[in-house]
Every structure is written in structure tokens, then in C-alpha cells.
Amino acid sequence: MEFEMIAKTFQGLEGVLAEELTNLGANNVQIGRRMVSYTGDKELLYRSNFALRTAIRILKPIKHFRATSADEVYEAVKQIDWTQFLTNDTTFAVDSVVFSTEFRHSKFVAYKVKDAIVDQFRERTGNRPNIRISNPDLQLHIHVAEYDCTLSLDASGESLHRRGYRQEAVEAPLNEVLAAGIILMTGWRGETDFIDPMCGSGTLPVEAALIARNIAPGVYRKGYAFEKWSDYDEDLFQRIYNDDSQEREFTHHIYGYDNNREAVGIATNNVKAAGLSNIVSIALQDFKDFKQPEQPAVIVTNPPYGERISAPDLLGLYRMIGERLKHQFQNNTAWILSYREECFEAIGLKPSLKTPLYNGSLECELRKYQMFGGKYTDARREGREIKSNDDRKQMAQKRRFKEKRSFKQGLEETADEFQLRMSRHDEERRERRGFRGSERGNDRSERRFRADDDFRKRDGFSKRNSREGEGREGFRRNNRMFNDRRNDRFKNDED
């Protein structure tokens, strides 16, 4: 039986996600803002979570309604027969996203949904299910756009960008969903070598390897919210999980470079955790030392923007990128994601395609550079293809950067000025987090990670089995055992 589903994504990736869903066999695919709606059966629901590279979350709507007040939200939710989804022993949580002049506080809307469910159970049974923010049995999501409300079951649980292979990360790492979306937008599917000369924690190289081998990103996941639903079909999901018939060989190679030794170590560990060391190589190398590859290749990279991560002489960095591409990447294609027009101008090369794309709250652009030997005018005179018809069509549909976008900090500050600004930035960040004076501990996420890691060690779990070792069954078994014991440990965390 078919039913409606919604796949959430980042703004700018909706078209890529729609194509992924079509390839999975989805019906009635409709693109919205930061989402794609579609229809399918239970198998497609499971596959959507397991196989989609550009989805953040999969929702299954259970009711659409209009409400002009909080009381109307309460009444509409209370009309649903919640015994279909919950019992008195079931824990649940409500997430909310609100874009409305009437409902100005998203948490208040979530509270009204929670109250309606709890009151229905109290009236029927004299008891109530419990709220649990962390790892509930049932996760609900309500979306309000002015007066139009959609209440859904969250089938994913933890965001789908958390693949499971990342052991560590550098500061401000590229989101896995965005990285996969960028690669898919380039059209690269493993036909040539792939190079990220500023790879950070290795997200682009790992996602490129998964795409080249056509390995589903869900292979590394601990689990999904739908596995706790009352109608969960374990045999069906195990069949999906263990089906590697669509995976393929990759006869080229993927290279990641960075000039930061710590980043290289982190990226290497992430590649090993994903079991992809045979096709991905990580090495310490500055982009200024980049040499012409021996084999045809594509470069996809995400340099510093001067926002969350900066560098001394930022424009000098982008000028160097342009010089390396022009002289050491001839007859190949490069794709660069960045934020500021001034940075792109410093590259000094003419892009054949500009695609607006959000990286978090930053309105960035992904630009394509078709490299060739000699001068641009000579290439045009010789009739070489610089901009394809597809590039022209896409450019006609894309809007440009907002006007008056400028740097908040000086562009050509000295190294000493840069270090001083970064140290002040770090000090302010520590103060905001409550770490005035000396470092007194790790932030909450680090403490929780260490607690989880200690728990693994005490109970004899390895951090993660490699796909090169025990494969899918090893990943699944290790994560299942860890989750079961961890859930028992934290089951009374929140009430």
C-alpha cells in the first residue's frame, strides 16, 4: 500500500534529492523548499533512509490540517487515534518547525501536540505515556506554515547526515549530506580520479568513494527510528541492508590532501573506519605544491571562507588556488564551494557554471572551472567547449550572489594579525561556553562521546567494525549490541 512521505534536505539540493528518489522508484515526486514529497510503500520508506545520500530526514505524514490558534492544534491532534502508534509504556518526543505569524514559538506548538496525546491517554486509560527527548520510542514532527499544519512520524531519528563512519572531525567540518550533494551535482560517478586538495576531515573523499562504489550510506548507521515502530518488518529491512548487488567496482583512485597534519590524521582514521583505504589515499601536502595529475581527474574542494574557518591572507590563498589550477590542472575540471565574491574574483578564472548552495546559514556558490592549456581567448578561437549547453541552461535558471556582500574582517591581514584575531575568537567562544580562564573540561557533545566510548570499552566493544573486515553483518551486530546496552544504561535519563 502506498502512502505519502517527505524527505528533508538542504536548500539547493532539492533537485538532486528528487533525482535520487526517482531512481529509487518513488512516485508522485514533488519538489518543495528544503524538501521533496513523494509516495511509495514500506520498502521505499526503508530504502529512503538507507540509500538516499542527500536526505537529512524522512517523515511519514499522518495528518494535514489547518489551525488558526493553539487550541485548534490541540483539538486536531487529539482527534487522532493514538493507540495506533503508542501505548502507556511507549516514550515519545515532539519536534517542531514553525513559519507563522500566529504561532511564534515552535516549542509551544510542540507542547500542545504533547498535551493532546497525553490527555487522550489519560481520559481513556487513566495513565499516560512518557516524554523522552533522547532516543524515544516514537519521534513526532509537526511543521506549521502559517495556518497549514502537517503532523508526521519521524522515520529517521538521528539526522541522516550522521553516517556513522566519522570518528573525529576538524573544526567546522563539511556536512556529509552537503558533500554528497555537491559531488552528485558535478555529475562525477567514478569515471576519473577524484581529488580534494584541502580535504579537512576527509568528508568529500569518503562520500566520493561511496558514490563511486555505489555503497549505500546507511551501511554504517547504528539504526533508524522506524525500527521501533509497531509495524516494523525486520526481515524486509535486513534484506535491504544485506543487498549489495548494486555495488560496483571502481578502477580509478581518490586523493585527499591537507597542509594540516592533525587533519590528515583525522581524515585517515575516517577513511579506515569506512573501510575504503584501498581506493582513498590521504596525504600531507599544501595546495601550493600541487602538481599536474598523471591521469584525468576532477577536483572538488571546500576552501576556508573567512567565516567559521579562516586563514592568513585569505585572498592570497584564493589567488594561489587559481594559479595552481591554471598551470597544474590543465584539461581537467575543478569545482569550488565558497562564500564570498571577492574570494572567487581572486581565483582569476572564468567559471562555466555557478550554482547557489547553502552551507548551514551561509549562502554559498558552487562554481565549475573547465581548465585548458593556453589562454581563454585562444581556446574560444579554436572552438574548444568551455561551457556546455547543459551549463548554459543551468546558468539561466540560477540567481546570482546578493549584492553588497563583503568581508567582515580585513582580507589581506598579516599572519600576526590573523593569529591575534583567531586567539581572541577562541577566547570569546570559550567564555560563551562557560570556560573562562583555563580549560575546565569538554563541551557536552565531547563528554557524551567519551562516555559512549568508555562504555564500549568496558563492555568489550570495538569502536566500529570495518567493511573490509566483518562487513555489513559486523557493523550491524556491533551497533545493535552497543545500542541495546546503551539504551538500558540511559533509559531513565529523561522522563
Side-chain angles (χ1 to χ4, degrees):
M1 183 179 68
E2 286 208 351
F3 49 84
E4 179 188 5
M5 287 172 271
I6 294 172
K8 306 282 287 185
T9 190
F10 293 118
Q11 189 166 339
L13 295 182
E14 298 92 343
V16 182
L17 177 56
E19 184 178 350
E20 280 197 278
L21 283 164
T22 301
N23 292 337
L24 276 185
N27 297 320
N28 304 309
V29 176
Q30 299 290 328
I31 294 176
R33 184 179 180 185
R34 297 199 295 268
M35 55 81 74
V36 178
S37 64
Y38 60 105
T39 60
D41 57 12
K42 185 183 292 187
E43 180 175 351
L44 183 61
L45 175 73
Y46 294 175
R47 288 192 182 278
S48 297
N49 281 277
F50 182 70
L52 290 176
R53 303 181 191 280
T54 56
I56 300 171
R57 191 173 303 283
I58 306 299
L59 304 175
K60 180 183 178 183
I62 54 178
K63 186 167 186 175
H64 298 279
F65 59 95
R66 285 180 62 83
T68 59
S69 68
D71 289 339
E72 290 184 7
V73 172
Y74 175 91
E75 292 300 331
V77 174
K78 198 174 179 183
Q79 290 172 9
I80 299 170
D81 180 8
W82 286 103
T83 59
Q84 301 175 75
F85 312 105
L86 295 161
T87 69
N88 286 332
D89 298 323
T90 306
T91 60
F92 75 99
V94 183
D95 182 31
S96 56
V97 174
V98 176
F99 302 97
S100 174
T101 54
E102 179 66 32
F103 306 99
R104 299 189 178 183
H105 299 286
S106 59
K107 287 188 177 180
F108 180 66
V109 175
Y111 289 148
K112 298 304 288 186
V113 174
K114 182 265 296 182
D115 288 345
I117 297 171
V118 167
D119 289 349
Q120 184 187 102
F121 271 89
R122 276 204 184 105
E123 292 171 6
R124 292 185 177 184
T125 68
N127 207 336
R128 52 158 284 182
N130 290 320
I131 307 298
R132 185 177 178 185
I133 304 302
S134 174
N135 197 27
D137 296 323
L138 190 72
Q139 179 74 53
L140 299 170
H141 178 89
I142 185 165
H143 183 276
V144 181
E146 286 303 333
Y147 303 116
D148 295 322
C149 307
T150 302
L151 183 62
S152 306
L153 302 177
D154 182 344
S156 303
E158 190 175 36
S159 173
L160 294 176
H161 84 273
R162 297 184 181 276
R163 311 292 205 213
Y165 61 74
R166 180 180 280 176
Q167 305 295 296
E168 299 177 82
V170 297
E171 185 179 2
L174 189 65
N175 183 286
E176 290 89 336
V177 163
L178 180 58
I182 288 170
I183 297 167
L184 292 175
M185 291 174 78
T186 70
W188 184 86
R189 300 295 185 273
E191 301 85 355
T192 65
D193 286 355
F194 181 100
I195 302 171
D196 180 0
M198 308 173 95
C199 71
S201 57
T203 307
L204 278 166
V206 172
E207 292 296 326
L210 297 180
I211 290 170
R213 290 284 315 280
N214 202 30
I215 297 171
V219 164
Y220 309 100
R221 284 270 296 200
K222 292 179 181 179
Y224 301 93
F226 64 75
E227 294 179 74
K228 297 182 178 181
W229 292 1
S230 59
D231 66 345
Y232 172 55
D233 187 337
E234 184 171 5
D235 290 339
L236 173 60
F237 183 58
Q238 288 301 321
R239 188 163 66 251
I240 292 170
Y241 184 90
N242 291 306
D243 179 15
D244 59 359
S245 62
Q246 298 302 309
E247 294 183 13
R248 56 180 176 250
E249 292 299 315
F250 176 56
T251 57
H252 301 282
H253 204 76
I254 295 168
Y255 300 91
Y257 303 105
D258 205 280
N259 65 355
N260 183 295
R261 191 175 298 276
E262 181 183 2
V264 169
I266 290 172
T268 300
N269 288 337
N270 291 338
V271 170
K272 287 180 180 177
L276 298 168
S277 300
N278 59 329
I279 60 172
V280 180
S281 298
I282 306 293
L284 182 69
Q285 178 180 284
D286 198 304
F287 200 170
K288 65 182 176 61
D289 300 320
F290 183 79
K291 300 296 184 183
Q292 180 77 31
E294 296 181 1
Q295 302 295 327
V298 60
I299 278 181
V300 182
T301 194
N302 175 45
Y305 308 157
E307 288 289 317
R308 295 180 296 174
I309 300 178
S310 190
D313 189 11
L314 193 63
L315 291 187
L317 171 66
Y318 279 81
R319 282 192 288 269
M320 179 271 291
I321 291 173
E323 184 273 332
R324 288 288 93 186
L325 293 180
K326 183 176 181 180
H327 297 290
Q328 298 293 335
F329 202 58
Q330 296 179 7
N331 301 314
N332 290 308
T333 304
W335 298 78
I336 297 176
L337 179 73
S338 194
Y339 174 54
R340 302 184 184 281
E341 183 67 39
E342 295 93 329
C343 291
F344 282 120
E345 289 177 353
I347 292 176
L349 301 173
K350 189 176 181 64
S352 60
L353 182 62
K354 304 176 185 178
T355 304
L357 202 57
Y358 274 83
N359 184 1
S361 61
L362 300 178
E363 186 183 0
C364 300
E365 276 193 359
L366 178 65
R367 295 195 177 183
K368 175 184 178 182
Y369 296 91
Q370 190 67 50
M371 307 309 301
F372 48 85
K375 296 183 178 180
Y376 179 84
T377 52
D378 293 339
R380 293 194 64 178
R381 192 181 305 115
E382 294 169 6
R384 281 187 272 177
E385 185 180 84
I386 298 170
K387 185 181 296 187
S388 68
N389 290 332
D390 187 54
D391 289 346
R392 293 188 181 92
K393 186 184 298 183
Q394 290 188 52
M395 283 285 283
Q397 298 172 349
K398 305 296 181 184
R399 54 188 173 81
R400 301 296 181 264
F401 271 119
K402 291 180 180 178
E403 295 181 0
K404 300 180 181 178
R405 177 176 294 195
S406 60
F407 280 98
K408 297 177 182 177
Q409 304 290 343
L411 298 178
E412 305 213 26
E413 59 190 352
T414 65
D416 289 340
E417 291 170 336
F418 169 76
Q419 292 297 337
L420 178 61
R421 179 164 63 84
M422 288 295 100
S423 63
R424 287 174 177 170
H425 170 74
D426 291 342
E427 184 177 345
E428 291 172 358
R429 185 174 59 182
R430 285 196 297 271
E431 288 180 355
R432 286 197 300 270
R433 291 181 175 179
F435 295 112
R436 290 180 175 86
S438 62
E439 294 289 346
R440 294 185 294 183
N442 301 295
D443 63 25
R444 183 186 303 174
S445 61
E446 291 173 330
R447 287 199 300 271
R448 191 60 173 264
F449 174 80
R450 290 187 178 185
D452 289 353
D453 196 38
D454 291 342
F455 184 59
R456 284 187 178 95
K457 290 176 181 177
R458 284 199 301 272
D459 285 85
F461 295 114
S462 61
K463 267 192 174 181
R464 190 60 58 85
N465 290 321
S466 167
R467 296 187 77 255
E468 295 171 334
E470 296 189 46
R472 296 170 185 266
E473 292 183 5
F475 271 110
R476 202 67 181 166
R477 182 173 62 255
N478 203 45
N479 288 332
R480 290 280 191 197
M481 293 170 64
F482 171 69
N483 281 345
D484 290 344
R485 296 197 188 179
R486 185 182 185 279
N487 290 346
D488 289 341
R489 180 187 177 199
F490 293 115
K491 66 181 179 181
N492 295 317
D493 273 2
E494 294 161 318
D495 188 85

